[in-house]
Amino acid sequence: MRVVWHYIGAAALACGAAWAVDTPEQAQLDFANGLFHRGFFAEAVEEYERYVADYPSGADLPTAHYRLGEAAYAVRQYEKALAAFDHVLNLPVDDAMRRQAALSRAE
């Protein structure tokens, strides 16, 4: 029986992702994204702002600013949306994100 548990444990470790624990940074972004994708844009704005404030050098900072802009635009907070898109344009991002932020800003 002990051998069976050894193999089950090894198989579970090989899968790894089943027990992967999000960092607080990733959990915050996931929460904001969940609100955004469900159409709770006002709440998403608050959560993206929290991510930006708590993780100013976070790995997903450009995405957080971009989604903050999209969510703010959806709830007609246009100044906040423009500022968020400007942040994206001032960050080191790939060309696709830069074009999308510029396009969203122009709307």
Side-chain angles (χ1 to χ4, degrees):
M1 186 66 158
R2 185 177 198 136
V3 172
V4 171
W5 282 112
H6 176 71
Y7 287 117
I8 291 173
L13 286 175
C15 293
W19 284 302
V21 177
D22 283 345
T23 63
E25 176 183 345
Q26 187 61 50
Q28 177 62 38
L29 187 62
D30 289 346
F31 182 59
N33 287 337
L35 292 168
F36 181 88
H37 289 298
R38 288 172 180 79
F40 295 103
F41 298 117
E43 294 82 358
V45 166
E46 293 174 12
E47 297 305 323
Y48 286 123
E49 287 178 326
R50 181 170 291 133
Y51 177 91
V52 168
D54 290 351
Y55 307 102
S57 58
D60 293 305
L61 190 62
T63 300
H65 276 295
Y66 180 76
R67 292 264 173 85
L68 170 58
E70 291 288 305
Y73 182 83
V75 292
R76 298 187 170 137
Q77 295 177 359
Y78 301 120
E79 294 299 320
K80 190 175 285 192
L82 288 172
F85 295 135
D86 285 341
H87 277 291
V88 175
L89 294 171
N90 290 320
L91 292 170
V93 296
D94 62 34
D95 289 338
M97 181 171 273
R98 184 172 307 285
R99 281 191 303 270
Q100 190 61 45
L103 179 64
S104 294
R105 191 185 188 295
E107 291 180 347

